[in-house]
């Protein structure tokens, strides 16, 4: 069924590239992963666990940036308010 499956895991380098393509980039999920899951259903656990871990990790990074920017903005706002109050006195 899968023309790339024979090449996809022919070496360690090809396996890593395939794994990166499937899980991180999300490219061609059905072309390689589904035939593997159909042949060996237990691999679905590993593939989905890695997919969820990578997605949650990326979501965590994005959320970290948002929180950091909000924290910096709050600190700047507090400093500005302190400077304004000190000018009033």
């Amino acid at each position: 069924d899968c023309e790339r499956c024979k090449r996809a895991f022919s070496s360690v380098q090809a396996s890593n590239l395939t794994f990166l393509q499937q899980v991180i980039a999300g490219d061609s999920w059905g072309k390689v992963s589904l035939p593997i899951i159909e042949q060996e259903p237990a691999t679905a656990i590993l593939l989905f666990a890695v997919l969820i871990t990578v997605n949650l990790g990326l979501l965590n990074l994005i959320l970290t940036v948002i929180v950091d920017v909000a924290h910096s903005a709050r600190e700047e706002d507090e400093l500005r308010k302190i400077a304004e109050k000190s000018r009033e006195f």
Side-chain angles (χ1 to χ4, degrees):
D1 288 347
C2 172
E3 66 181 58
R4 189 174 186 286
C5 288
K6 293 174 183 154
R7 296 180 288 126
F9 299 100
S10 62
S11 67
V12 173
Q13 183 179 0
S15 298
N16 284 331
L17 180 62
T18 301
F19 195 65
L20 180 75
Q21 175 189 10
Q22 296 302 110
V23 176
I24 309 270
D27 290 347
S28 307
W29 180 260
K31 289 184 181 178
V32 177
S33 296
L34 290 179
I36 291 171
I37 292 170
E38 288 172 355
Q39 186 71 28
E40 292 292 331
T43 58
I45 296 168
L46 174 68
L47 291 172
F48 290 131
V50 171
L51 183 66
I52 289 170
T53 302
V54 168
N55 284 333
L56 288 177
L58 289 174
L59 181 63
N60 191 24
L61 286 173
I62 292 168
L63 186 59
T64 300
V65 170
I66 292 170
V67 169
D68 190 45
V69 168
H71 180 71
S72 296
R74 179 186 169 119
E75 285 181 345
E76 289 176 14
D77 189 46
E78 287 176 355
L79 291 174
R80 184 185 53 79
K81 285 181 182 179
I82 291 171
E84 284 178 7
K85 284 186 180 184
S86 66
R87 278 188 237 138
E88 289 177 2
F89 290 118

